[in-house]
C-alpha cells in the first residue's frame, strides 16, 4: 500500500513504456540495450462501435502497436531481460507463432540462442518471420500441446532454459503492465473515480480478451489486483475470456462449473493463435481468481463470428 502512495509521483516523468513500472517487475534494473519500444500501447475510444452497441465507453487497447505486432512482446521483453540477468545464453520455447516471433526479436538483441518449436498449423509467413531472426525453427507435425511436450523433452535433454508460459514468473508479471497502463490511461480519459481523496487511477468495469493458454488474463488480473492493493484503483474489473468454438476448453469448463478444463485433443479453428487444446492449471487459476475478484465469464464464438467482428471493428473504427 505504501508503494501506491508514491508510485504516481515516482513514475510521472518516465517514458510511457512497459519499464515505467520497473519496481513492480521481476528484473533488477533497466536494460536499455535490449529495448525495442515495448509497452506503452494506445487506448483507443471506440465511439462508433459504442454508438452501435449503446455502450458509449468501449476502449480498445491496441496491442498491435508493439515491436513485433503482438501483445507477446511484453512477455518476451521481461522474459529475456530476466534471462540476461541470470546469464542464460540458450533457451527453448513452443509457440503457435506470436510468442516465437516476439522472443526471436529480443533473443537476437540479447545474444541468446533460441530454439522455437512450431506446430505445422503456423502460417508459413510466420515461420519465415521467426527464422529471419536466426532462431532455430523446429517444425512439428502435431497439435500445439504435442509440440509443447517435445520442446520440454528437448530442453530437459540438453539442460536448457524452457519458456513455461503460465508457469513462468516473468511471463505472468509482464502482462500486469497492460492493467497498469489501462489504469493510467482511463483516469486520463475519464478522470479518476468520483471519491474525494480517492484512487488516482481508474479500473474498467469489464476487461475482454481472446484467450488461448490464458497467460494474458492471468497477468492482467494480477495487475488489477495489485492496483487495488496499492489503493490506486477502487475495483478489479470483471474478466471476459473469449475462445473460438473449435478450441474452447476453458469456455466449456466454465459453463459446467468445472475446476479443471477437459483438453481438446484436435482443435478445429482457422485462428492458429487460439489453438491451445490443454490450458492446464492456467484455467484453474484463472477461474478461481475470477470467482474471488470481480467475476466475469468465459465464452466461445465461431471463427465466422470472430472474422465478422474484426471486419466491423476495421470498418467502424479503422
Amino acid at each position: 500500500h505504501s508503494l501506491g502512495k508514491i508510485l504516481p509521483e515516482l513514475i510521472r516523468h518516465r517514458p510511457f513504456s512497459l519499464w515505467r513500472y520497473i519496481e513492480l517487475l521481476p528484473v533488477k534494473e533497466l536494460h536499455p540495450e535490449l529495448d525495442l519500444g515495448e509497452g506503452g500501447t494506445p487506448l483507443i475510444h471506440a465511439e462508433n462501435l459504442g454508438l452501435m452497441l449503446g455502450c458509449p465507453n468501449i476502449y480498445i487497447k491496441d496491442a498491435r502497436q508493439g515491436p513485433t505486432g503482438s501483445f507477446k512482446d511484453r512477455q518476451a521483453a521481461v522474459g529475456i531481460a530476466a534471462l540476461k540477468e541470470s546469464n542464460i545464453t540458450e533457451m527453448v520455447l513452443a509457440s503457435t507463432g506470436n510468442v516465437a516471433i516476439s522472443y526471436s526479436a529480443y533473443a537476437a538483441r540479447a545474444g541468446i540462442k533460441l530454439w522455437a518449436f512450431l506446430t505445422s498449423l503456423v502460417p508459413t509467413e510466420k515461420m519465415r518471420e521467426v527464422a529471419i531472426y536466426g532462431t532455430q525453427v523446429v517444425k512439428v507435425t502435431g497439435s500445439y500441446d504435442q509440440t509443447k511436450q517435445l520442446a520440454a523433452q528437448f530442453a530437459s535433454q540438453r539442460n536448457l532454459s524452457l519458456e513455461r508460459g503460465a508457469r513462468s514468473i516473468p511471463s505472468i508479471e509482464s502482462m500486469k503492465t497492460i492493467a497498469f497502463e489501462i489504469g493510467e490511461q482511463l483516469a486520463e480519459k475519464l478522470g479518476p473515480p468520483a471519491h474525494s481523496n480517492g484512487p488516482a487511477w481508474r479500473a474498467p468495469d469489464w476487461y475482454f480478451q481472446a484467450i488461448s493458454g490464458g497467460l494474458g488474463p492471468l497477468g492482467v488480473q494480477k495487475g488489477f489486483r495489485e492496483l487495488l492493493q496499492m489503493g490506486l484503483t477502487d475495483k478489479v474489473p470483471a474478466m471476459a475470456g473469449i475462445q473460438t468454438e473449435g478450441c474452447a476448453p476453458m469456455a466449456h469448463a466454465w459453463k459446467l462449473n468445472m475446476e479443471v478444463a477437459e483438453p481438446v485433443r484436435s482443435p478445429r479453428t482457422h485462428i492458429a493463435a487460439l489453438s491451445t487444446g490443454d490450458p492446464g492449471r492456467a484455467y484453474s487459476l484463472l477461474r478461481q481468481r475470477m470467482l474471488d475478484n470481480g467475476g466475469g465469464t468465459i465464452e466461445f464464438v465461431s471463427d465466422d463470428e470472430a472474422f465478422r467482428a474484426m471486419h466491423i471493428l476495421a470498418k467502424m473504427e479503422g
Side-chain angles (χ1 to χ4, degrees), residues 34 94 108 124 152-153:
L34 300 181
T124 318
Q153 283 163 8

Side-chain angles (χ1 to χ4, degrees), residues 18-252:
L18 176 157
W19 300 108
R20 178 178 181 83
Y21 315 105
I22 187 161
E23 288 80 3
L24 294 153
L25 292 171
V27 287
K28 294 188 189 75
E29 59 188 12
L30 288 172
H31 294 272
E33 75 284 3
L34 300 181
D35 200 313
L36 286 166
E38 52 276 0
T41 55
L43 189 70
I44 296 161
H45 189 187
E47 292 187 53
N48 301 327
L49 187 68
L51 273 173
M52 183 180 91
L53 297 174
C55 182
N57 286 316
I58 298 176
Y59 290 86
I60 295 165
K61 186 74 169 141
D62 187 2
R64 300 170 310 165
Q65 300 196 34
T68 76
S70 91
F71 81 114
K72 303 292 187 181
D73 286 332
R74 294 175 191 267
Q75 183 184 345
V78 178
I80 292 285
L83 290 177
K84 186 89 172 156
E85 288 186 345
S86 306
N87 297 315
I88 286 168
T89 56
E90 196 170 347
M91 71 167 295
V92 180
L93 58 76
S95 171
T96 54
N98 292 343
V99 166
I101 293 170
S102 291
Y103 269 88
S104 293
Y106 287 93
R109 272 193 91 75
I112 290 174
K113 180 175 182 175
L114 177 60
W115 296 83
F117 284 67
L118 299 174
T119 127
S120 45
L121 290 172
V122 173
T124 318
E125 62 272 18
K126 278 195 178 175
M127 293 235 181
R128 273 203 294 267
E129 197 173 337
V130 175
I132 213 168
Y133 292 103
T135 295
Q136 299 290 313
V137 176
V138 183
K139 189 173 170 179
V140 179
T141 309
S143 71
Y144 176 47
D145 296 300
Q146 289 165 325
T147 306
K148 277 198 289 202
Q149 279 165 346
L150 273 174
Q153 283 163 8
F154 179 84
S156 79
Q157 279 160 8
R158 295 195 170 214
N159 200 17
L160 297 176
S161 174
L162 175 70
E163 206 302 297
R164 293 171 191 278
R167 287 178 180 269
S168 147
I169 290 170
S171 293
I172 292 274
E173 297 290 300
S174 71
M175 294 306 176
K176 299 190 309 191
T177 58
I178 296 175
F180 300 160
E181 288 176 18
I182 291 172
E184 276 200 86
Q185 288 170 314
L186 269 187
E188 206 174 283
K189 289 175 188 288
L190 295 169
H195 310 292
S196 55
N197 307 324
W201 296 358
R202 187 177 192 128
D205 297 314
W206 279 85
Y207 173 83
F208 282 76
Q209 192 181 321
I211 57 175
S212 186
L215 173 75
L218 267 176
V220 171
Q221 236 278 351
K222 188 171 194 288
F224 281 119
R225 272 203 328 274
E226 288 180 9
L227 289 179
L228 183 65
Q229 284 163 351
M230 289 188 286
L232 285 169
T233 58
D234 63 354
K235 63 169 174 256
V236 172
M239 309 285 281
I242 314 296
Q243 296 208 285
T244 176
E245 197 171 31
C247 188
M250 294 206 214
H252 290 302

